[in-house]
Amino acid sequence: MMRNFIRSITLMSILGLSILSAFSARAAAVTYSNFGSQNSDSYSFTATSTGQINAYFHGATAAYANTLTMLVNGVATPETSEGVFHNHSSQVGDFLNLGFVNQGDVITFQLNVLTTGRTWSSDHSLNSDQVNHVFSTSFGGDVENNIPAGTYVGFEDLIRGGDFDYDDEAFVFTNISAVPEPETYAMLLAGLLMISYQLRRTKMVKFSV
């Protein structure tokens, strides 16, 4: 009985250490704040300067098997045409050179969902379900995992967006900029106009009382 007790304690200790190491291996957290809803921001990615685009594996939560492809002006780079960063074998901080670009080149990222045979693009107009499958934001860097500052891009790998967590597979890219599409600015302007209208209406009601 004592032997079984010791074995249980040992197994619990090993499990605890595994959990601690898993947490310590995670990259600096990036969270999509509107979990469960489609990201209303669409992005146009462009090369910031002439040179290489480097990518770092930030993490993955997906059960599906996924890889990444990068297209420059609509053509997959030789380095990524077969898909890179398999989410079930890549480690946080893994680095790859995705290919050479010229300043201003249009960059499109593509998540290849090997499990279902579907492909989701960072340009949602190219997706069969017309859903935005990416969330992007600036990334300040993660010294512990050797990930520099850059542009974070997280993918949702389920058709029609699934749970919209945008962390099924995530990367940090250098030498690219993410510019919101005009429709995003239009939505922002509409929101500001609505707020302005509500404030104005509130003032009118206040003065009429």
Side-chain angles (χ1 to χ4, degrees):
M1 188 169 180
M2 178 62 72
R3 182 179 298 174
N4 289 336
F5 176 75
I6 293 173
R7 182 180 297 169
S8 298
I9 293 296
T10 303
L11 288 172
M12 288 174 66
S13 299
I14 292 171
L15 179 61
L17 288 172
S18 299
I19 292 172
L20 284 173
S21 66
F23 274 105
S24 65
R26 286 184 178 179
V30 177
T31 305
Y32 172 60
S33 60
N34 202 17
F35 178 87
S37 299
Q38 181 178 181
N39 181 20
S40 59
D41 292 334
S42 3
Y43 314 93
S44 177
F45 297 101
T46 56
T48 306
S49 61
T50 297
Q52 307 294 333
I53 288 186
N54 295 326
Y56 300 80
F57 186 78
H58 185 275
T61 63
Y64 285 171
N66 301 318
T67 61
L68 176 76
T69 296
M70 183 180 82
L71 290 78
V72 179
N73 300 324
V75 180
T77 62
E79 293 86 347
T80 68
S81 59
E82 298 298 319
V84 295
F85 286 126
H86 193 295
N87 61 315
H88 290 168
S89 57
S90 296
Q91 301 296 315
V92 173
D94 281 357
F95 159 82
L96 282 174
N97 179 336
L98 301 189
F100 183 86
V101 294
N102 292 302
Q103 183 178 10
D105 279 347
V106 176
I107 308 299
T108 307
F109 297 109
Q110 182 174 284
L111 190 73
N112 312 302
V113 188
L114 307 181
T115 307
T116 63
R118 298 184 183 277
T119 297
W120 306 121
S121 172
S122 59
D123 179 353
H124 73 276
S125 68
L126 301 177
N127 294 331
S128 59
D129 60 1
Q130 294 295 295
V131 165
N132 183 9
H133 281 262
V134 299
F135 163 69
S136 181
T137 188
S138 58
F139 183 77
D142 181 349
V143 175
E144 183 179 353
N145 291 294
N146 297 314
I147 303 177
T151 299
Y152 169 94
V153 179
F155 273 91
E156 171 56 60
D157 68 355
L158 297 176
I159 187 170
R160 290 182 291 278
D163 54 7
F164 289 115
D165 55 9
Y166 292 101
D167 63 1
D168 291 329
E169 188 164 16
F171 313 90
V172 173
F173 303 100
T174 61
N175 195 26
I176 69 163
S177 61
V179 181
E181 296 282 7
E183 65 191 54
T184 301
Y185 287 119
M187 291 179 67
L188 177 61
L189 179 59
L192 290 173
L193 288 173
M194 181 63 72
I195 292 170
S196 176
Y197 170 76
Q198 290 295 340
L199 289 173
R200 193 171 175 183
R201 187 178 176 188
T202 301
K203 282 183 179 180
M204 290 175 67
V205 170
K206 184 177 179 181
F207 283 121
S208 65
V209 173

